[in-house]
Amino acid sequence: MIDFQQKRQIRKIIYSRITLLVLLLLVGFMVKQVYDIYKKELLSRGNLDTIEKQYNNLKSREKMLSLEIDKLKTDEGVEAEIRSKFDVKRPGEQTVVIINENSPTQTTSTMSNTNVWQEFLDWFK
């Protein structure tokens, strides 16, 4: 009989409202923690994608810079870089300057002369 009484008390305790409330609170706490971990995982995955893109960009830049360095190790590469940065020439070379016929400065100056002349003539009308 004691065995039956003990089982009944245990069932009363397990199925009581307080026990169910405590278990419900524990499950709610665990669900919240899992959700927080899920949000952090999504954030980490986004950061990983960003870092991988930056890494790939840096790798391509490293390749480009290594090609530039290899180019600058040659005399032709050094000369080409100096010519692109500075206006220099070798001894015996000449510089040719080509002026465009339709340059904006010529058009502006002729227009301003015509306008001044036109204004002068307008005074006598």
Side-chain angles (χ1 to χ4, degrees):
M1 192 76 170
I2 296 176
D3 195 32
F4 179 71
Q5 288 290 332
Q6 286 178 345
K7 285 181 183 180
R8 193 171 192 189
Q9 283 183 343
I10 291 174
R11 282 186 187 156
K12 249 186 179 178
I13 293 172
I14 290 176
Y15 294 121
S16 72
R17 289 183 180 176
I18 294 173
T19 306
L20 291 177
L21 181 65
V22 169
L23 288 176
L24 186 65
L25 288 175
L26 284 175
V27 168
F29 178 73
M30 286 182 203
V31 167
K32 184 187 178 307
Q33 294 302 318
V34 169
Y35 181 70
D36 289 344
I37 290 172
Y38 174 71
K39 287 193 314 187
K40 287 180 183 180
E41 191 267 335
L42 285 178
L43 182 65
S44 296
R45 189 177 295 163
N47 288 342
L48 178 66
D49 290 342
T50 305
I51 289 172
E52 283 177 350
K53 287 178 186 176
Q54 288 177 352
Y55 177 75
N56 291 333
N57 288 340
L58 288 175
K59 275 295 197 184
S60 64
R61 186 166 180 230
E62 179 188 24
K63 287 178 185 177
M64 183 185 69
L65 289 176
S66 66
L67 290 174
E68 285 284 328
I69 289 172
D70 291 340
K71 181 180 172 185
L72 288 175
K73 286 182 181 178
T74 64
D75 291 336
E76 294 86 16
V78 171
E79 181 181 344
E81 189 66 25
I82 290 173
R83 284 178 183 257
S84 70
K85 298 230 184 221
F86 306 105
D87 189 21
V88 295
K89 60 182 181 173
R90 281 186 172 177
E93 287 183 341
Q94 295 180 351
T95 305
V96 177
V97 178
I98 300 174
I99 300 175
N100 192 1
E101 289 181 16
N102 297 328
S103 68
T105 55
Q106 291 177 350
T107 308
T108 316
S109 64
T110 57
M111 289 177 102
S112 64
N113 289 338
T114 338
N115 289 338
V116 171
W117 180 250
Q118 196 68 332
E119 287 179 23
F120 180 72
L121 290 177
D122 286 340
W123 282 1
F124 294 109
K125 287 184 180 180

